[in-house]
Amino acid sequence: MATFLYKLGRLSFRRRHVVALIWVALLTLAGVGAASAPAAGNSSFSIPGTEAQKAFDLLEQRFPGVSADGATARVVFKAPSGEKMTDPGNKAAVREAVKELGDGSEVARVTDPYQAKAVSKDGTIAYAQVSYKVSGMELEDSSRDALQDSAQDARKAGLTVEIGGDALQTVPHTGSSEIIGIAVAAVVLVITFGSLVAAGLPLLTALIGVGIGVSAITALASTLDLGSTTSTLAMMIGLAVGIDYALFIVSRYRAELAEGRDREEAAGRATGTAGSAVVFAGLTVVIALVGLSVVNIPMLTKMGVAAAGTVAIAVLIALTMIPALLGYAGRRVKPMGEKGKRLGRASEKPERPNLGTRWASFVVRRPIAVLLLGVIGLGVAAVPASSLELGLPDDGSQPTSTTQRRAYDLLSEGFGPGFNGPLMVVVDAKDSDDPKAAFTEVGDEIKGLEDVVTVTPPAPNKAGDTATITVIPGSQPSSVTTENLVHGIRDAGTGIKADTDANVLVTGSTAMNIDVSEKLNDALVPYLVLVVGLAFLLLIVVFRSILVPLKAALGFLLSVMAALGAVVAVFQWGWLSGLMGVEQTGPVMSMMPIFMVGVVFGLAMDYEVFLVTRMREAYVHGEKAGQAIVTGFRHGARVVTAAAVIMMAVFAGFIGSSESMVKMIGFGLAIAVFFDAFIVRMAIVPAVLALLGRKAWWLPKWLDRALPNVDVEGEGLRPDSDRGDTDRELVRA
């Protein structure tokens, strides 16, 4: 591996014009594809294998033309104080608004509140439901404008009018805070390298890689049904790893220059050594992201694969374009420590050990104390995770400043908290001898269950073999009581099936949320086994050790649990919610735990590979186990620290997103990187290695013979005298 990458690095350095031209051409091609591609909306949300999805699919078959996946809007009206919605003036204003709402070309139907009995018992609140032929993300702006205009006209008549539903759903924006994250990364790079040119290389290559990745996603979005969140996630992870991977290679290049090698040789060696770590670190991230497909949620699979593609591009750019740009930079990228030499400091007094060396020496002397402090600290941070509640966001999780949230609250006030999470029961009586009797029995059975407020009469299709029944719970959608009601209806359906041969299915957004949470919980353990198992095998090949990969996996579990605890504390409990811009607390997004497990594991292994390969390199070159830890920190701690700060800054930049999922992911990944880089990798890892000593690098002889020798440490690059003419011939080739 190291020898191949060494050749690639030197070749890219010498043929820099060709390499740069290739990447610029790819960026241009992807940009043209994105610009000419049709606009894509939100990815269709389907959960194969769940009852809610089966019911949804059945509705599309048995009720053709009802646009089951179309957008909906609830226009909620509230009468002025002391008046009723049934007063003639208010009634006229509502009916005028309903008439306007029905004029749109994308509108499928509009319900009149007075005909549909959609007026609260006290007569103060009413609502009209608008159904559209297309999804919320596919709605034309003119349809949204017409919705807002009709509400504004009713407001002029003195009514309070708010709009809920997914018809107002728009493409989320991330705000300007992501630019701040990139700016922080630039400052850290300048401090790390002491040079604007050297600092600019990782930023430039990361932006090119993200540009190619996101443009490719945009170009394929319509064809592959990729949602807007997919490109945001790819940008988030691509920026972070792109900067970090380039940072490690540039840092190693400067270290090679400091040892007296010429620039082409230094570029080759940096790519052969640090580049090998980049390849395996990138592979762990790709494995973790692609592994999300085992959950069998198409949206999550597409997000993971798209982000993995962006990571792969970041790896390729780091291995080829960084050496090419180093060739362009020439002497403007200085050897490591050259500033101090120019000032004559080296001759005045012995060089003082850097902070990484001093910290590693302290940990090696006090490993038990450091280990206990780190584990206890992460354990305390993980405590809130025991109160984790999962759910998917609805209008009740929106900020109180939005019309969607105000409509949600008005409906709860007028019709009860369960009205915002109605359950749709689909009765498939195609195999029943008496479908009408089956429909009636289902309705009567549901009325006898606890927490049921309203059960509408069965609404059969034209064929008379399928009917829908709407059930209004007494509790809010995200409550445990509502979840129990869903399971109660499904349990009752088992008995009804035996009596009438009719299938009873429960769907709707509330039931779908429950099914998603259960599916994700069931998939978490298989996903962990697959991803951690594959990465464990990969790290055995990299480190040629059993205990080092095992320690890496256990450290990851500590950091991800602590990060989940922090997410619960902020987004569920409300700690520091104002600082994070969280206006409404509530359950943590259902897919957050499994998504964090995947992404954080990949990123955690990044720092494990970068830091521990330096230790492994020192160990195989003859240093004692304890001294190898110190050597690894002397060369790698500063760079790993800079990489972690950069990654945290990039992720934290997405906390300003208007999309609650992106905001939560940004915060969760930022805090997870902090825990993993600074507590697990910088404290717990060296403490454990110090306690293990030489045993840390133990590998059974039979396994050592069976494993391929990937030479991440660059052992094959050491004998300069043997390389000479061979190197030049390889580069010319």
Side-chain angles (χ1 to χ4, degrees):
M1 172 69 74
T3 304
F4 170 76
L5 293 179
Y6 167 84
K7 302 172 190 176
L8 180 63
R10 293 194 64 172
L11 186 62
S12 299
F13 186 96
R14 290 173 63 89
R15 303 288 186 262
R16 46 189 173 272
H17 303 306
V18 175
V19 172
L21 184 61
I22 290 172
W23 284 113
V24 171
L26 289 174
L27 178 61
T28 304
L29 184 63
V32 171
S36 59
N42 229 22
S43 177
S44 57
F45 190 78
S46 63
I47 314 295
T50 61
E51 181 173 314
Q53 186 64 44
K54 292 176 183 176
F56 185 82
D57 295 339
L58 184 65
L59 283 174
E60 290 190 326
Q61 295 173 12
R62 305 287 175 84
F63 291 82
V66 299
S67 302
D69 60 346
T72 59
R74 278 178 172 174
V75 183
V76 188
F77 306 90
K78 183 175 183 180
S81 179
E83 299 182 16
K84 302 286 187 181
M85 288 304 305
T86 52
D87 293 348
N90 295 334
K91 203 170 186 178
V94 170
R95 284 190 162 156
E96 180 62 28
V98 169
K99 182 181 177 182
E100 291 180 22
L101 289 168
D103 291 339
S105 60
E106 293 182 315
V107 175
R109 61 190 176 277
V110 182
T111 60
D112 185 312
Y114 304 102
Q115 294 179 359
K117 298 181 180 180
V119 181
S120 63
K121 290 181 179 180
D122 62 5
T124 61
I125 297 174
Y127 72 90
Q129 181 148 320
V130 187
S131 299
Y132 292 89
K133 301 173 184 177
V134 296
S135 68
M137 295 300 293
E138 295 171 326
L139 271 181
E140 298 287 343
D141 289 339
S142 58
S143 295
R144 293 195 183 92
D145 293 340
L147 188 61
Q148 298 279 16
D149 292 342
S150 63
Q152 189 59 37
D153 291 342
R155 291 189 185 105
K156 291 178 181 177
L159 299 174
T160 298
V161 187
E162 304 296 346
I163 306 171
D166 61 353
L168 295 182
Q169 185 179 16
T170 57
V171 177
H173 64 274
T174 53
S176 59
S177 55
E178 67 192 63
I179 306 300
I180 298 175
I182 296 175
V184 172
V187 172
V188 173
L189 287 169
V190 171
I191 294 174
T192 302
F193 291 136
S195 164
L196 288 174
V197 174
L201 297 183
L203 280 177
L204 177 60
T205 54
L207 290 173
I208 291 174
V210 167
I212 294 173
V214 173
S215 296
I217 291 170
T218 304
L220 298 172
S222 179
T223 304
L224 301 180
D225 190 26
L226 303 178
S228 56
T229 307
T230 304
S231 59
T232 304
L233 175 67
M235 181 188 302
M236 183 190 303
I237 296 178
L239 269 177
V241 301
I243 294 174
D244 279 7
Y245 294 166
L247 166 65
F248 279 96
I249 292 179
V250 174
S251 297
R252 187 59 182 257
Y253 171 77
R254 296 176 69 233
E256 296 292 340
L257 288 179
E259 293 183 12
R261 295 186 174 89
D262 65 64
R263 296 186 178 277
E264 183 179 333
E265 177 70 11
R269 286 178 173 272
T271 309
T273 51
S276 297
V278 164
V279 169
F280 284 99
L283 275 176
T284 59
V285 179
V286 169
I287 288 172
L289 290 170
V290 174
L292 290 170
S293 59
V294 303
V295 184
N296 196 27
I297 295 179
M299 184 184 75
L300 198 59
T301 298
K302 292 171 185 176
M303 290 171 61
V305 172
T310 308
V311 172
I313 292 171
V315 171
L316 292 174
I317 283 187
L319 297 176
T320 56
M321 195 165 186
I322 281 294
L325 292 179
L326 289 172
Y328 284 118
R331 296 184 177 277
R332 283 169 293 206
V333 176
K334 307 295 183 184
M336 189 174 292
E338 183 172 288
K339 183 177 178 181
K341 293 177 181 178
R342 289 201 312 266
L343 296 176
R345 293 173 186 165
S347 60
E348 294 174 3
K349 57 182 179 180
E351 183 180 353
R352 185 188 180 191
N354 61 22
L355 182 59
T357 302
R358 298 198 300 274
W359 169 250
S361 300
F362 171 78
V363 174
V364 170
R365 292 196 305 270
R366 301 285 188 271
I368 296 178
V370 173
L371 178 61
L372 289 176
L373 189 61
V375 172
I376 292 172
L378 291 177
V380 171
V383 168
S386 61
S387 302
L388 178 67
E389 296 177 9
L390 299 176
L392 289 177
D394 56 14
D395 286 347
S397 63
Q398 296 271 6
T400 53
S401 58
T402 62
T403 185
Q404 294 97 319
R405 173 60 188 277
R406 292 195 292 264
Y408 183 97
D409 292 340
L410 283 176
L411 289 171
S412 296
E413 177 188 336
F415 302 92
F419 191 80
N420 284 295
L423 305 175
M424 180 177 287
V425 179
V426 182
V427 185
D428 179 9
K430 190 173 184 179
D431 298 329
S432 177
D433 295 333
D434 189 351
K436 289 185 178 180
F439 300 155
T440 302
E441 182 176 342
V442 172
D444 293 341
E445 188 75 22
I446 294 174
K447 289 177 183 177
L449 298 176
E450 293 183 6
D451 198 47
V452 173
V453 174
T454 304
V455 179
T456 64
N461 61 350
K462 290 182 180 180
D465 59 2
T466 308
T468 60
I469 300 173
T470 301
V471 180
I472 305 298
S475 304
Q476 62 184 9
S478 59
S479 67
V480 176
T481 308
T482 301
E483 182 178 347
N484 292 336
L485 175 59
V486 171
H487 290 300
I489 296 173
R490 289 171 173 171
D491 291 340
T494 304
I496 293 171
K497 168 71 173 175
D499 295 340
T500 66
D501 289 326
N503 289 317
V504 179
L505 305 172
V506 185
T507 189
S509 60
T510 301
M512 184 70 81
N513 290 353
I514 293 169
D515 288 351
V516 168
S517 298
E518 292 178 352
K519 189 177 182 70
L520 289 167
N521 287 337
D522 293 342
L524 184 58
V525 172
Y527 175 70
L528 269 174
V529 171
L530 173 68
V531 173
V532 176
L534 288 175
F536 182 78
L537 295 175
L538 185 66
L539 292 179
I540 289 178
V541 174
V542 174
F543 295 125
R544 308 195 77 77
S545 164
I546 299 292
L547 296 179
V548 171
L550 180 62
K551 173 256 320 160
L554 294 176
F556 149 74
L557 292 175
L558 281 173
S559 58
V560 79
M561 289 304 298
L564 277 176
V567 169
V568 170
V570 174
F571 290 89
Q572 187 175 308
W573 291 0
W575 293 5
L576 301 177
S577 57
L579 181 63
M580 298 297 166
V582 181
E583 297 187 37
Q584 181 63 35
T585 59
V588 173
M589 209 156 312
S590 296
M591 61 181 65
M592 189 67 185
I594 198 165
F595 185 81
M596 277 192 65
V597 164
V599 177
V600 173
F601 181 79
L603 300 179
M605 295 307 102
D606 273 5
Y607 298 115
E608 180 75 15
V609 170
F610 289 138
L611 193 59
V612 180
T613 48
R614 269 294 198 171
M615 301 178 191
R616 168 75 182 173
E617 184 177 341
Y619 179 76
V620 299
H621 291 158
E623 293 188 8
K624 293 183 179 179
Q627 183 57 39
I629 296 172
V630 176
T631 300
F633 267 77
R634 181 171 70 248
H635 291 295
R638 178 183 175 90
V639 180
V640 169
T641 299
V645 172
I646 288 169
M647 197 171 278
M648 289 167 57
V650 172
F651 288 147
F654 288 85
I655 295 175
S657 173
S658 62
E659 176 70 29
S660 57
M661 180 176 178
V662 174
K663 181 189 292 286
M664 193 177 292
I665 289 174
F667 171 80
L669 294 184
I671 197 70
V673 168
F674 171 78
F675 287 145
D676 196 84
F678 293 107
I679 299 180
V680 174
R681 308 303 153 189
M682 292 288 191
I684 294 178
V685 165
V688 171
L689 290 177
L691 290 172
L692 291 174
R694 295 185 61 184
K695 296 177 183 177
W697 308 109
W698 171 79
L699 186 70
K701 291 183 179 179
W702 64 268
L703 185 57
D704 185 44
R705 291 191 298 268
L707 290 177
N709 183 13
V710 295
D711 189 22
V712 176
E713 302 84 15
E715 181 66 23
L717 306 180
R718 283 184 66 80
D720 294 341
S721 58
D722 296 339
R723 193 155 297 278
D725 296 336
T726 307
D727 287 344
R728 287 188 287 274
E729 292 172 4
L730 290 171
V731 173
R732 291 192 189 100

